[in-house]
Amino acid sequence: MDFNATGLSVGDVVKVGEGLAPVFSAGPARWYALRVAPQREDQVEAWLKRRGVYSFHPVLMRKVRRMGKVREYARRYLPGYVFARFPGEAVAHRLVGRCGITGALTRLDGSWGVVKPSDLRALHSMRKVDAETAAERRAIRAAERRASTVRAGERALFRAGPFSGLHCEVVELVAEDGAKVRVTLFGREIATHVSSSDLVVIVKGC
């Protein structure tokens, strides 16, 4: 499984930090689903990284506006879990109780269960997929805004205001979201000033 976000692939070797007791023994690389204390996922990841263990927890990035400021936050998809790739067999007694690690998913016999890399592929790619989806949504919204922007000489439809439902021709745009238009009312063509936000462009062919 190729982890593009980190440059790691299954089978890579990560060196243990100098002066730190190893938290794994020699052997093939293994993935574990570690249980961690609430809100400690990031700290556990940093703690493991210093000991040569790559780990991640799936999150979805979201932006919210609070008090006029846009803030980005990570919404944890599986709170309380960190998925870690050890370069060997994890040494449980050197992990449990450290930095918020409380244990791991276990087998029926109580031993720590090894997770298949293929079972983690979708979870690991969540951040990348979420970022791509967010970019697509932004592109669609931008295209919609461009399509709905009225310009002089175009035909438009009143979607709000006293002329709602009527067609008009945009003569010119004026300051502060205004527009001068020609509209046929009671069989006569009249010119009037309206808010451009009340108009939507009529797509040719519709």
Side-chain angles (χ1 to χ4, degrees), residues 102-117:
T102 60
L105 290 183
T106 61
R107 301 188 183 96
L108 293 177
D109 61 4
S111 60
W112 284 17
V114 176
V115 182
K116 295 179 181 179

Side-chain angles (χ1 to χ4, degrees), residues 63-73:
K63 291 183 178 180
V64 296
R65 183 178 295 276
R66 294 176 179 172
M67 300 180 68
K69 294 183 178 180
V70 176
R71 301 180 185 275
E72 188 174 55
Y73 74 98

Side-chain angles (χ1 to χ4, degrees), residues 80-143:
Y81 285 94
V82 168
F83 299 93
R85 178 187 178 277
F86 289 77
E89 184 175 357
V91 180
H93 71 271
R94 291 182 178 171
L95 292 160
V96 177
R98 307 293 179 87
C99 196
I101 299 174
T102 60
L105 290 183
T106 61
R107 301 188 183 96
L108 293 177
D109 61 4
S111 60
W112 284 17
V114 176
V115 182
K116 295 179 181 179
S118 58
D119 293 337
L120 294 173
R121 184 174 291 111
L123 287 175
H124 191 274
S125 63
M126 278 183 59
R127 298 188 193 188
K128 180 181 178 181
V129 172
D130 187 55
E132 292 174 348
T133 301
E136 290 176 1
R137 288 196 296 264
R138 288 194 296 270
I140 291 173
R141 287 197 295 268

